[in-house]
Amino acid sequence: MTIPFRKTVMVLAFSALSTLALAETPARVGRIAHSQGPVNISTEVGEEATAALVNWPVTTSNQIVTQRNGRTEIRIGSTSVRLDGDSSLDVIELDDDKLRLHLHYGSLSLRVRNADMLRGLDISTPQGMVRMKEVGRLRIDAERVRDTTNVSVFEGTAQVDGGGSSLSVRAGKRVDVHNDDVRTALAVRDSFDDWSLQRDARDERTTSDRYVTTEMTGYEELDQHGVWREDSDYGPLWTPRAVAADWVPYRDGRWTYLAPWGWTWVDNAPWGYAPSHYGRWVMVRQRWSWAPGRNIGRPVWAPALVGWVGGSNWNLAFTDNGARRNAPAQGWYPLNPGESYVPGYHLRPEHLRHHNRHARPDYRPGRHDGLTVVGLNQFVGRNPILVPRAPRPVLTPLATQNIPFGAPPRPQGNWPNRFDRDGDGKPDRNAIGRVITAPSDGQPFSRRDGRPGDNERFVRTPPQVLSTNEPQRSLAEKDRRQREAEIERRERDQANERRLRELEADNRRTADGQQRLHEAELAERRRELDAERQRGAQADRLSAIENARRQREAEAQLQGQRDAINRQQAERQQRESNNRQLAERLQRDADQDRLRQLERQQQGDQERLRQVERQQQAERQQRDTDNARRQQAERAQQDAENARRQQAERQQAERQQRDAQQREAQQREAQQRDAQREAAQAQARQAQQAQQAQAQQAQQAQAQQVQAQHQKQAEEADKRERAREQREQRQDRRENVQQQIR
């Protein structure tokens, strides 16, 4: 091991220790699983809210706000938290064992499927506290009615504390909590609850829980967008369906800095949360597949399981707006199961072992499959880095040789830190871990071997510099201080060299042990291969027997399918015959209905004809009455004329003239009545002919006969009327002649 390489290892070790967070980070993080309408999320208290994207991580101190027409769903493993429009929710605490929420206002729907989640789960509102005692589903409405919280339990049991009371609420009940009292009622569902049930229905149909635990956040999206299969080397593998041929993990999304983890990946694909924060990616059969490992309980979340390369000492040629320039580059690539994950934050040893449970210490990748490179300047600010829009260089085999390892820089400035709540730049006193400043005595750390402990980080003490305000001392004093500083520097260098030698010895011992372990594993694998070949031969014999049995079963199944097809054909023919009989019966019923309708129409026509006859008879009676009155008047007039025979001839002429006018008027009235009667008869005949044309041929003949009879009767009535009028005219002329004679 050369001196520069040892120095590089030392610097990387100290850098990794110095960048560890001072408190253990949680292994459980939620995500925005669905966003509908305007939904905002703020990552830290006092920060400006941003739009809540799907797959955005949700953790402690987040606040989610939905506007009037917005809805969102938050998933933490198998637990679903949904917000209706016009709601505000604070994530008070979210870690491995606790989930504490505070609903300021709005409506919240909660579904818990795992009983282990109940111990640290509670939801507070301005009026009280809600805890679930059994797995199930409930809804909380806060401040929908002023100073009131409504808790509706649809499944399971909940404990509600508030209004000076503590109640156990069972399924189907609702509790209205006020500031000073509590009331109970029946739980009622609405459209928000129906929407939540539709979202829950996907969990009942999933098959991914056969391969991963349901506490892996984002597992519910895998069935819809990919295919599972078993692999002899990697165990269960999930392959996405609708991706391009040149698709690479960790390339379609964005990087955002999330304290205390650091740069965190947010994938654009709806299924991209679980494969980005758990397990590893492998290239199998020229396609990328995700290997989550065996289902071994609660998973451990990571901001991104990638390896970082590049930095300020790796320059590449970038083309930006037609201009070619050299600039520092930063790259990353998905880790495979054999590579170790080195986090840039403090992590429990058991959590780190969970990430690296399949890693091989002797693994040395010859290439970095799926490498993505952007400019280092993309990681300078605090804004998210949109990878598809970032300029990328053209990588050549020469440029990818001997790429230096290096993580992206931390954003400049006072970046928010969840373990520095007072903002003084120092960790809070109750934070786990210590900051140790290395003194000059050669024993800077608490361990006896001089190396830093698990919760310590090394910080060099800068050399003291005399300020200009310090009093002048003698030259001897200055020389003495310089010699002491030089001695102290040499002692520190010796201590560092001693620690470096010890570290190299430890590395050699570790390498020897790993080599022996590797040889033992190879021998064990050889024995397993021999046993596997023997089992394979036995399996081949059993397979031949099984194939013969399966062939017989297939033939029997095929015969059964033929029988089933024959039965289905017979049933289909019987159904068709029944359908034809039903259609014929319906046709007969329709024909009978039409015949009855025609009969009703004929009856209506006859009734209208009778009405016309009654009207004609009434008109005749009216005319007879008018004639009788007229005859009576004429007789009275004749009597008056007989009494006034002595009157002048002029009066007699006038009377004759008036009589002639009256007769003309009567004739005109008779003619008008005849015309109206003929028009009514013509309309009746037209209506009767139109109705008779719709009936059947036999009914048409009968209707025509009836019409002919009516027409004949009408003509006879007209003849009688004209004969009566002629008789009246003759009588009038006879009377006039008699008067003239008198």
Side-chain angles (χ1 to χ4, degrees):
M1 184 179 292
T2 61
I3 297 299
F5 183 73
R6 289 200 301 268
K7 289 183 178 180
T8 302
V9 172
M10 193 72 177
V11 170
L12 288 176
F14 286 163
S15 176
L17 290 172
S18 63
T19 55
L20 291 177
L22 299 180
E24 295 175 346
T25 54
R28 185 173 62 164
V29 175
R31 79 169 183 123
I32 299 294
H34 179 77
S35 181
Q36 174 183 329
V39 181
N40 297 326
I41 183 172
S42 58
T43 57
E44 293 288 342
V45 177
E47 282 196 354
E48 183 179 358
T50 58
L53 303 176
V54 174
N55 292 332
W56 194 272
V58 176
T59 184
T60 302
S61 299
N62 286 165
Q63 184 180 25
I64 299 95
V65 179
T66 61
Q67 302 301 324
R68 181 177 180 182
N69 297 323
R71 281 178 178 174
T72 187
E73 177 183 357
I74 306 164
R75 290 295 295 253
I76 304 111
S78 62
T79 302
S80 305
V81 180
R82 301 181 179 92
L83 293 179
D84 200 3
D86 192 18
S87 303
S88 176
L89 177 70
D90 268 356
V91 182
I92 304 299
E93 187 175 4
L94 173 57
D95 56 20
D96 299 356
D97 302 316
K98 294 181 181 179
L99 175 58
R100 298 177 58 225
L101 308 174
H102 180 77
L103 182 63
H104 294 282
Y105 59 86
S107 300
L108 177 147
S109 177
L110 177 67
R111 170 74 185 280
V112 179
R113 302 177 62 199
N114 189 352
D116 295 337
M117 296 290 297
L118 299 176
R119 288 190 295 271
L121 174 63
D122 60 65
I123 306 99
S124 60
T125 67
Q127 285 74 35
M129 179 78 69
V130 181
R131 298 180 180 88
M132 294 193 70
K133 299 172 64 177
E134 298 177 358
V135 295
R137 184 170 56 89
L138 59 79
R139 171 177 173 170
I140 303 175
D141 298 288
E143 297 296 332
R144 293 298 191 193
V145 178
R146 184 179 179 87
D147 299 332
T148 303
T149 294
N150 309 109
V151 181
S152 301
V153 180
F154 298 105
E155 297 177 13
T157 306
Q159 184 74 26
V160 180
D161 299 332
S165 302
S166 179
L167 296 178
S168 180
V169 186
R170 298 188 178 277
K173 298 294 184 180
R174 188 188 74 196
V175 175
D176 300 334
V177 182
H178 306 277
N179 291 328
D180 52 358
D181 67 339
V182 176
R183 301 177 183 177
T184 59
L186 295 177
V188 179
R189 282 171 40 186
D190 61 5
S191 60
F192 177 53
D193 300 308
D194 296 337
W195 176 75
S196 300
L197 286 173
Q198 292 177 359
R199 298 287 301 176
D200 286 332
R202 300 187 309 165
D203 297 340
E204 307 299 334
R205 299 189 299 266
T206 183
T207 59
S208 295
D209 53 2
R210 304 175 188 173
Y211 306 95
V212 296
T213 174
T214 57
E215 293 310 312
M216 179 179 289
T217 303
Y219 82 97
E220 69 278 0
E221 301 288 349
L222 301 178
D223 278 357
Q224 185 179 356
H225 300 93
V227 179
W228 286 99
R229 64 184 178 87
E230 286 286 345
D231 186 83
S232 58
D233 295 331
Y234 302 105
L237 288 181
W238 179 83
T239 305
R241 288 196 190 96
V243 293
D246 58 348
W247 178 85
V248 174
Y250 299 102
R251 187 170 290 179
D252 183 16
R254 65 187 67 198
W255 290 104
T256 182
Y257 197 88
L258 184 65
W261 293 275
W263 290 107
T264 303
W265 179 255
V266 180
D267 203 272
N268 287 337
W271 49 263
Y273 190 86
S276 298
H277 302 289
Y278 308 96
R280 304 296 174 86
W281 283 94
V282 295
M283 179 71 77
V284 179
R285 300 174 185 172
Q286 302 301 317
R287 291 194 64 183
W288 284 100
S289 298
W290 178 57
R294 296 297 178 185
N295 191 343
I296 56 174
R298 179 176 291 185
V300 178
W301 187 87
L305 291 161
V306 298
W308 294 95
V309 297
S312 58
N313 56 346
W314 188 43
N315 292 339
L316 294 177
F318 288 84
T319 302
D320 190 6
N321 295 328
R324 189 179 181 86
R325 58 182 179 84
N326 289 335
Q330 186 72 54
W332 62 90
Y333 61 93
L335 295 175
N336 63 36
E339 296 180 271
S340 295
Y341 171 64
V342 181
Y345 53 93
H346 191 54
L347 197 63
R348 292 181 183 178
E350 59 269 22
H351 290 172
L352 186 58
R353 285 194 296 270
H354 179 90
H355 281 306
N356 297 326
R357 61 189 183 276
H358 301 299
R360 299 193 300 271
D362 59 338
Y363 183 81
R364 294 293 182 269
R367 61 179 185 178
H368 303 303
D369 292 332
L371 178 63
T372 303
V373 180
V374 299
L376 183 61
N377 59 350
Q378 298 287 327
F379 291 90
V380 174
R382 300 183 180 183
N383 295 327
I385 302 166
L386 303 179
V387 176
R389 301 182 185 177
R392 292 197 294 270
V394 178
L395 297 177
T396 62
L398 181 61
T400 56
Q401 290 180 357
N402 300 324
I403 304 176
F405 290 88
R410 187 177 184 270
Q412 300 295 325
N414 186 20
W415 187 260
N417 193 323
R418 66 181 65 247
F419 305 111
D420 182 16
R421 299 296 184 185
D422 52 7
D424 60 355
K426 300 179 181 180
D428 299 336
R429 293 184 178 181
N430 59 353
I432 302 174
R434 296 179 293 169
V435 178
I436 304 298
T437 302
S440 60
D441 57 358
Q443 295 291 334
F445 300 105
S446 60
R447 291 179 55 166
R448 294 183 180 180
D449 58 2
R451 291 184 293 171
D454 292 338
N455 60 345
E456 299 173 340
R457 66 186 179 97
F458 176 72
V459 180
R460 288 183 178 273
T461 303
Q464 297 183 358
V465 180
L466 297 177
S467 64
T468 57
N469 296 328
E470 193 175 358
Q472 297 292 331
R473 294 183 176 89
S474 62
L475 294 176
E477 180 68 19
K478 291 182 179 180
D479 293 339
R480 184 182 64 81
R481 292 179 61 85
Q482 289 178 359
R483 286 194 299 272
E484 291 178 352
E486 183 67 20
I487 293 170
E488 183 178 349
R489 184 182 61 78
R490 291 177 181 176
E491 290 178 351
R492 285 199 301 270
D493 293 341
Q494 292 174 1
N496 290 336
E497 288 292 337
R498 184 169 60 254
R499 287 193 295 271
L500 184 59
R501 287 192 297 272
E502 293 175 356
L503 182 61
E504 291 175 355
D506 292 342
N507 290 336
R508 284 195 297 272
R509 287 192 297 270
T510 303
D512 294 339
Q514 291 175 353
Q515 182 66 24
R516 289 191 296 271
L517 182 60
H518 180 61
E519 292 175 355
E521 289 179 353
L522 289 177
E524 182 65 24
R525 288 182 182 176
R526 292 191 191 97
R527 289 193 297 271
E528 290 179 355
L529 288 175
D530 294 338
E532 184 67 24
R533 282 194 293 272
Q534 294 177 0
R535 288 194 297 270
Q538 182 67 21
D540 291 339
R541 291 192 296 271
L542 296 176
S543 177
I545 298 172
E546 183 67 19
N547 290 335
R549 185 183 62 81
R550 289 180 179 176
Q551 185 176 3
R552 290 193 298 272
E553 292 179 353
E555 292 176 355
Q557 185 177 5
L558 182 61
Q559 184 62 33
Q561 291 177 355
R562 293 196 190 96
D563 296 339
I565 291 172
N566 294 332
R567 288 194 298 271
Q568 290 176 0
Q569 291 178 353
E571 292 176 356
R572 185 166 57 254
Q573 293 175 358
Q574 182 64 28
R575 286 195 298 270
E576 291 176 355
S577 176
N578 295 335
N579 292 334
R580 286 194 299 271
Q581 293 178 1
L582 179 60
E584 292 175 356
R585 187 166 59 253
L586 293 175
Q587 184 65 30
R588 288 195 300 272
D589 295 339
D591 295 339
Q592 292 177 0
D593 292 338
R594 284 195 294 272
L595 290 175
R596 286 193 292 271
Q597 185 176 3
L598 290 174
E599 291 177 356
R600 287 194 295 270
Q601 290 178 357
Q602 291 177 359
Q603 292 176 359
D605 295 339
Q606 294 176 0
E607 182 65 25
R608 283 192 294 274
L609 290 175
R610 285 193 292 271
Q611 290 179 358
V612 170
E613 292 176 355
R614 285 194 294 270
Q615 290 178 359
Q616 292 176 357
Q617 185 177 2
E619 290 176 357
R620 286 194 298 272
Q621 291 178 356
Q622 182 66 28
R623 284 195 299 271
D624 295 340
T625 304
D626 294 339
N627 292 331
R629 285 197 300 270
R630 188 172 57 254
Q631 291 175 2
Q632 185 177 3
E634 289 175 355
R635 283 194 298 272
Q637 185 177 3
Q638 289 175 2
D639 294 339
E641 288 175 355
N642 292 329
R644 293 188 299 271
R645 285 189 301 268
Q646 302 300 327
Q647 291 181 355
E649 185 176 356
R650 183 180 57 80
Q651 294 178 353
Q652 185 178 359
E654 290 177 358
R655 186 171 58 255
Q656 292 177 357
Q657 186 177 3
R658 285 195 300 272
D659 294 338
Q661 291 177 356
Q662 289 178 0
R663 284 192 298 273
E664 290 177 359
Q666 290 176 359
Q667 291 177 359
R668 285 194 299 272
E669 289 178 359
Q671 292 176 358
Q672 290 178 358
R673 286 193 298 271
D674 294 338
Q676 291 177 359
R677 185 169 55 254
E678 291 176 356
Q681 291 175 356
Q683 291 178 358
R685 285 192 299 272
Q686 291 177 359
Q688 186 174 3
Q689 291 174 359
Q691 292 173 357
Q692 289 174 353
Q694 298 176 358
Q696 295 180 354
Q697 187 173 3
Q699 293 176 350
Q700 288 179 355
Q702 184 178 1
Q704 290 176 359
Q705 185 177 2
V706 172
Q707 183 178 0
Q709 293 176 356
H710 288 309
Q711 186 175 2
K712 185 176 180 180
Q713 292 176 358
E715 290 175 354
E716 291 176 355
D718 292 338
K719 290 180 181 180
R720 288 193 298 271
E721 183 66 23
R722 284 194 296 270
R724 185 182 60 78
E725 289 176 355
Q726 290 176 1
R727 286 194 301 272
E728 291 177 355
Q729 291 176 2
R730 286 194 299 269
Q731 183 67 28
D732 292 338
R733 285 195 299 270
R734 190 181 298 111
E735 291 175 356
N736 291 332
V737 171
Q738 291 177 359
Q739 290 178 1
Q740 290 176 3
I741 293 172
R742 286 193 297 269

